[in-house]
Amino acid sequence: MNTSINTQSVDTRIGRLNFEHGVMPTPETVAHLFETMDFQRACLAYLWSLPVVDFVQFRVLQARAAGAGPSDVTTYVGHAHVSPMLTPNVTTPYTLFYIDIGHNGPTVVDVPAGAIAGSAMDFWQRALTDFGLTGPDQGQGAKYLFVGPGQETPEMRDAIIVKSPTLTVFCFYRALDPDPEKAEALKRAVRIYPWSERENPRPTRYIEPDADKVKNMIPTPRGLEYWKCLAEVIDEEPVQDRDRFFVGMLRTLGIEKGRPFEPDNYQKKILEEAAFVGEAMARANSYDKRFAGARYRDDANWDYVVMADPAQDLENYSQFDERAAYFYEAVVLSKGMVTKTPGQGQAYLGSYRDKEGHAYDGGQHYRLRVPADPPMKQFWSLTLYEAENRNVIQNEQRIAELSSRHNLVMNSDGSVDLYFGPSAPDGLESNWIPTVPGRVWFAYLRLYAPTEPYFDKSWPLPDIERVS
């Protein structure tokens, strides 16, 4: 292809381009080029904005499920409660809340002592600090004082100071104690209040979510609703230096700070198509990771789920594809989730295709043989998710997860066979997760407090195989 624009007409990847006198784009070509630019920008903006749109949707979830606002605490436990979330586990309860330090000023989060694991993130899901076992309190509990951009840091004895670049901070933790009574107590042990009310803090509200109100809610909005969420964030949060080009490019698409989101017909067409194509790009980026080192071992189709750094901003660049891959299929990130220390944190492996490289078909039957001696100190779990919405698999039985805390039938060598399909194998119903014909799924294997055989890859994890 001639690389010099000195021709009347040339065919390119984006179609035929025509030039007057071999130099000036014709009016029709100018219009086509601008439309292509707008579409490309919107597709990349979709990938760029996934973490923050997920958090906007979480605020909607909190409001719909429990009437919860800033500093209100909700606990999600079990299949029905976690269904509208991105790739949650079902074994442990989630304690979730967000704080509005823009409205309330510096805010205290008093974390309980005990076996919990969690973190606080800014509104772009950059990890600010871990809580609990992998946090600075190391499971002993502590007061964390969150200070927003432009706010003075108040003095508070014995508090752990955390500065956030965004006005909204999202927090979560999981109660990992195997004792049900202790885990139940930990779910309601956090206290949240503005620093200005420290002498007489308001009681923290604990709200039970209503699963029926969110059963049809998807974790990530689609179409124009996606861009409405993004416009909301751009209008309310300070723009980060690293994001200024993206925010500038969105202006031609009707998304601009200080302006209502009212796209015209041209902008609607671009945004709706870009939301579809952007999600297709996100699926390829997540389910078929092309990052170096993404595969756990070369002998099976298991990938590391988390390829993003919790801070996202590295020495010479800010992660883009790695961040988009993780936050398309999941939400929340902590330092403990990318642990390099045996016996601490968690590990996540994902399988998106079977041994033959095909997507998992909900109408077929599969088996995974989990080898003996899984490398973990606490427990392991295997969860199935629907590939379309990345939520727990939606079956009538409301079974999406099996774990070492379940009463599984073991093999004589210490391994265990797990089965996935529309019907259970005879005598092995306890080892079965029901799948739904017509629905594609994928799997996560979690190791809580992973040990050395996971890190040195000496523990083999075979493929999920199709069986008759």
Side-chain angles (χ1 to χ4, degrees):
M1 178 177 174
N2 185 356
T3 57
S4 173
I5 299 180
N6 189 16
T7 184
Q8 296 294 118
S9 179
V10 61
D11 290 321
T12 73
R13 180 183 294 270
I14 64 170
R16 173 162 291 191
L17 304 180
N18 300 308
F19 302 89
E20 287 188 64
H21 308 297
V23 177
M24 297 294 288
T26 65
E28 294 79 10
T29 292
V30 168
H32 177 62
L33 287 169
F34 283 153
E35 184 174 348
T36 301
M37 288 168 61
D38 288 339
F39 178 69
Q40 291 175 342
R41 290 173 175 182
C43 288
L44 289 175
Y46 180 95
L47 297 171
W48 159 74
S49 58
L50 277 166
V52 76
V53 171
D54 286 343
F55 268 1
V56 174
Q57 187 75 339
F58 168 75
R59 289 196 308 201
V60 175
L61 168 64
Q62 287 282 80
R64 287 188 189 175
S71 301
D72 292 335
V73 178
T74 55
T75 299
Y76 295 82
V77 57
H79 187 283
H81 276 173
V82 303
S83 284
M85 297 181 185
L86 286 172
T87 53
N89 81 72
V90 188
T91 303
T92 61
Y94 285 88
T95 295
L96 302 169
F97 55 94
Y98 68 95
I99 57 177
D100 184 350
I101 48 182
H103 182 264
N104 293 323
T107 299
V108 178
V109 176
D110 192 345
V111 176
I116 66 171
S119 77
M121 292 151 285
D122 73 9
F123 218 34
W124 284 90
Q125 299 206 50
R126 288 176 292 192
L128 300 173
T129 183
D130 275 21
F131 293 143
L133 298 175
T134 58
D137 64 288
Q138 298 185 321
Q140 301 304 306
K143 292 182 173 65
Y144 290 78
L145 176 61
F146 290 88
V147 182
Q151 297 177 345
E152 292 188 8
T153 302
E155 290 190 14
M156 187 172 185
R157 187 189 310 175
D158 299 328
I160 297 170
I161 307 299
V162 183
K163 294 187 177 181
S164 170
T166 60
L167 298 170
T168 306
V169 173
F170 174 87
C171 303
F172 87 103
Y173 66 83
R174 289 167 294 189
L176 301 178
D177 200 301
D179 185 323
E181 291 186 5
K182 291 181 179 179
E184 183 64 29
L186 287 171
K187 285 166 29 180
R188 289 176 167 266
V190 66
R191 299 176 66 215
I192 307 155
Y193 52 87
W195 176 84
S196 60
E197 300 179 10
R198 64 197 179 282
E199 299 299 333
N200 186 26
R202 69 184 74 170
T204 299
R205 286 210 313 161
Y206 295 92
I207 307 174
E208 290 295 327
D210 186 337
D212 288 336
K213 291 183 178 180
V214 294
K215 62 182 179 182
N216 295 320
M217 185 175 177
I218 62 173
T220 305
R222 292 191 167 98
L224 286 180
E225 190 63 28
Y226 183 93
W227 304 106
K228 181 181 177 182
C229 290
L230 178 57
E232 182 180 324
V233 174
I234 288 176
D235 198 47
E236 70 182 41
E237 287 283 355
V239 178
Q240 308 295 302
D241 284 344
R242 67 172 186 176
D243 299 326
R244 291 174 67 85
F245 281 121
F246 273 106
V247 174
M249 288 189 290
L250 287 170
R251 293 173 65 236
T252 60
L253 295 166
I255 299 175
E256 185 175 358
K257 198 174 188 70
R259 281 179 50 190
F261 178 58
E262 298 173 347
D264 59 29
N265 289 334
Y266 167 82
Q267 292 165 334
K268 286 180 181 178
K269 179 182 176 183
I270 293 289
L271 292 171
E272 288 175 340
E273 186 175 0
F276 178 84
V277 174
E279 183 174 1
M281 292 176 174
R283 287 183 184 176
N285 195 40
S286 292
Y287 300 154
D288 291 276
K289 296 177 176 66
R290 60 177 181 174
F291 317 125
R295 186 58 49 92
Y296 171 59
R297 287 170 49 119
D298 293 335
D299 55 358
N301 292 324
W302 286 94
D303 290 344
Y304 294 109
V305 173
V306 187
M307 296 296 291
D309 187 277
Q312 302 176 20
D313 300 317
L314 306 185
E315 181 180 358
N316 297 316
Y317 69 98
S318 294
Q319 290 180 319
F320 187 87
D321 290 337
E322 296 91 342
R323 184 181 80 169
Y326 178 71
F327 289 117
Y328 175 69
E329 60 182 296
V331 69
V332 308
L333 185 56
S334 70
K335 296 176 182 177
M337 294 168 66
V338 292
T339 180
K340 302 296 183 186
T341 304
Q344 294 186 11
Q346 308 89 44
Y348 300 79
L349 296 175
S351 179
Y352 311 94
R353 297 183 184 275
D354 65 18
K355 187 174 183 178
E356 306 303 321
H358 299 300
Y360 294 113
D361 182 346
Q364 302 298 326
H365 293 81
Y366 300 86
R367 183 193 68 188
L368 170 65
R369 176 160 292 171
V370 181
D373 302 318
M376 51 77 195
K377 290 179 65 176
Q378 295 173 339
F379 69 98
W380 62 262
S381 67
L382 189 290
T383 316
L384 297 194
Y385 302 99
E386 298 205 339
E388 181 180 358
N389 292 326
R390 294 89 67 213
N391 54 349
V392 290
I393 195 164
Q394 301 295 298
N395 50 42
E396 292 182 356
Q397 297 85 349
R398 291 188 173 183
I399 299 172
E401 188 165 282
L402 297 171
S403 78
S404 54
R405 289 182 172 180
H406 288 77
N407 186 23
L408 302 175
V409 176
M410 307 294 291
N411 298 322
S412 59
D413 63 356
S415 65
V416 58
D417 291 337
L418 307 182
Y419 293 90
F420 322 116
S423 59
D426 291 341
L428 292 168
E429 290 81 3
S430 62
N431 293 33
W432 169 61
I433 298 178
T435 61
V436 181
R439 306 294 293 178
V440 176
W441 54 268
F442 63 92
Y444 275 9
L445 179 80
R446 289 174 169 87
L447 301 169
Y448 290 85
T451 54
E452 188 60 38
Y454 164 77
F455 293 100
D456 65 20
K457 305 181 184 180
S458 60
W459 184 68
L461 183 62
D463 280 308
I464 297 174
E465 297 186 74
R466 184 170 165 180
V467 295
S468 59

